[in-house]
Amino acid sequence: MSVPRELSYTKDHEWITEGEVATVGITAYAAEALGDVVFVQLPEVGAVVSAGESCGEIESTKSVSDLLAPVTGTVTEVNQAVAEDPALLNSDPFGAGWLIKINRAGSDGELLTPDAYDELTAG
């Protein structure tokens, strides 16, 4: 399954946009592995998050997974639509299912290119 080429990815299946304020979500691969998402806990606007550390939770009918921040910075926006309708993560993980926006400040975690992420999730 090929992923959008304009994004960067983490080994933990988050995606992130380029730019000073980055949009973050989970990949279709992660959404499929989770199954039906039933609850999403997101950080508050203004929360400081650190690359590689938990900043929220995603609960599905199968399990609970941590949302890990792909970069260090301050949360500038959360997607209330996902909080109200967690199924958006399953139906549109790269679009309406985005999770948070982070004003980058400091280090990025280990980000993967689309090709490297495709390799990670192949087979």
Side-chain angles (χ1 to χ4, degrees):
M1 170 186 335
S2 187
V3 293
R5 309 320 279 173
E6 70 276 9
L7 303 173
S8 294
Y9 300 89
T10 71
K11 64 179 174 26
D12 298 303
H13 311 292
E14 288 93 13
W15 58 262
I16 184 167
T17 60
E18 294 296 321
E20 185 177 332
V21 177
T23 303
V24 176
I26 65 167
T27 65
Y29 181 91
E32 187 176 312
L34 282 167
D36 294 332
V37 177
V38 296
F39 178 75
V40 177
Q41 176 193 3
L42 299 173
E44 299 287 327
V45 170
V48 176
V49 297
S50 297
E53 294 188 10
S54 178
C55 64
E57 286 186 345
I58 301 168
E59 183 177 334
S60 72
T61 55
K62 294 181 181 179
S63 67
V64 176
S65 296
D66 285 330
L67 171 64
L68 302 179
V71 295
T72 298
T74 303
V75 176
T76 61
E77 191 175 344
V78 298
N79 187 349
Q80 287 303 320
V82 167
E84 294 166 13
D85 183 11
L88 285 171
L89 288 179
N90 297 111
S91 63
D92 192 9
F94 292 110
W98 66 271
L99 295 172
I100 58 176
K101 294 188 180 186
I102 300 173
N103 187 4
R104 284 181 154 134
S107 64
D108 288 356
E110 184 181 338
L111 299 179
L112 305 174
T113 65
D115 289 336
Y117 186 76
D118 283 341
E119 285 181 29
L120 175 73
T121 58

